[in-house]
Amino acid sequence: MRLALVGDLHYHEIDRSIPGLAEARTAFYRHVLDQFLDLDADLYISLGDLTNFGLTSELEEVYALLARQGKKFIHVLGNHDLYGQPRQEVLRITGQKRYHVLDTEEAMLVFLDTAKEMDFKDWGGWLDFEQLEWLESMVVASHVKPLLVFGHHPVYLTTAGSEREKGSIHPAIDMWSILNRNKGIGIYFNGHTHMDSIAQREEWSFVQLSACLDQPGFRLVDIGNKAIRISAVDVTEPEVLEHAQLLHKHIKHFSPTLNARGQDRDRELVVQLLSETNVL
């Protein structure tokens, strides 16, 4: 089973009076998303902030670019996706679920909603009690099967930037009391801080994706019988990088991150799977 992941895309409205900006936006996002969907994968996942403000126009336009027959796309909500309108309206437009699970033969895939609704002052992450109870039940139900969790915000004090104020799921939420109930391999994927980063803590691995406007690229997750392999795919065409530089100058609610690529150790990860006898 193979998954293709994209980090914060920030598809955004533009000022069409600025020369060349409309062309740059179209070329950048079309090229990046075409390359994303051209990857050979069973499932395509956005880790949130697919849009820059969650406006209807942004959502409809980026989903039009993502529409391709036979490609299953899942969008977990990010804080930017919920700035412009209520959560239920965004879910109605996109046809996505707020949080849910896909229990496959290879792994249990859990998709979270860590975003606050229309909160312009606090862009940190939060999960309500109902979702936390549900997440705990999924962790327990996974037993020894590999458990892959996808959310927009990182868990506090894991990946780069997660120690910052508003840079993670709120520290008051005891995520570890839930995560530690896992008996098998656990991997948590997120975006939000705009930096590629891989961290390992206790029995969990944490994989964070940067923003495409800073570091155009994706992650492939190959789930095999003996290991899960996570690799980076870069978009390197010079014209794409040039378009990104122009978009940087005119996008609102977004600041470029200079160290978005991270270090060499943040580019790939191999997690060996446990046999059932190892965890009983």
Side-chain angles (χ1 to χ4, degrees), residues 93-207:
I93 293 169
T94 63
Q96 298 285 343
K97 299 176 182 179
R98 184 184 169 204
Y99 56 87
H100 58 107
V101 63
L102 287 178
D103 195 1
T104 72
E105 291 185 6
E106 298 87 354
M108 179 177 280
L109 312 180
V110 173
F111 302 91
L112 301 179
D113 172 15
T114 65
K116 297 178 179 179
E117 181 179 296
M118 303 180 75
D119 190 337
F120 309 108
K121 295 182 179 180
D122 186 354
W123 51 86
W126 189 263
L127 290 82
D128 58 26
F129 182 72
E130 179 182 316
Q131 186 178 179
L132 289 170
E133 278 197 322
W134 173 84
L135 174 59
E136 184 171 8
S137 71
M138 293 299 101
V139 172
V140 172
S142 67
H143 192 48
V144 298
K145 183 182 289 188
L147 176 62
L148 277 59
V149 181
F150 305 86
H152 179 63
H153 294 82
V155 175
Y156 182 59
L157 292 181
T158 55
T159 48
S162 66
E163 76 286 355
R164 299 174 182 170
E165 185 182 4
K166 308 174 189 175
S168 71
I169 295 171
H170 198 284
I173 297 178
D174 185 7
M175 292 293 291
W176 283 105
S177 66
I178 297 174
L179 298 180
N180 281 337
R181 300 201 64 182
N182 186 37
K183 294 183 179 297
I185 294 299
I187 308 177
Y188 185 98
F189 298 89
N190 66 271
H192 188 59
T193 70
H194 295 187
M195 290 180 282
D196 284 337
S197 177
I198 292 177
Q200 292 178 291
R201 178 177 167 186
E202 301 184 25
E203 301 302 320
W204 279 80
S205 301
F206 298 86
V207 180

Side-chain angles (χ1 to χ4, degrees), residues 143-144 274-280:
H143 192 48
V144 298
L274 301 175
S275 65
E276 188 163 351
T277 56
N278 293 136
V279 294
L280 292 178

Side-chain angles (χ1 to χ4, degrees), residues 225-239:
N225 294 325
K226 296 183 178 181
I228 297 177
R229 299 178 182 274
I230 301 164
S231 55
V233 179
D234 293 324
V235 178
T236 59
E237 287 78 0
E239 60 271 21

Side-chain angles (χ1 to χ4, degrees), residues 2-45:
R2 171 177 277 189
L3 314 175
L5 277 57
V6 63
D8 299 29
L9 194 70
H10 286 271
Y11 183 90
H12 55 285
E13 280 201 330
I14 57 168
D15 183 349
R16 294 184 176 274
S17 69
I18 298 174
L21 191 59
E23 293 79 6
R25 185 188 66 167
T26 298
F28 177 84
Y29 285 111
R30 182 170 292 162
H31 186 102
V32 167
L33 291 178
D34 279 351
Q35 190 162 330
F36 178 57
L37 293 172
D38 282 342
L39 295 170
D40 181 18
D42 300 293
L43 188 62
Y44 300 81
I45 301 168

Side-chain angles (χ1 to χ4, degrees), residues 238-257:
E239 60 271 21
V240 175
L241 303 180
E242 290 174 7
H243 294 321
Q245 291 175 4
L246 178 59
L247 295 175
H248 275 158
K249 295 178 181 179
H250 301 287
I251 183 174
K252 300 177 181 179
H253 319 294
F254 182 95
S255 298
T257 300

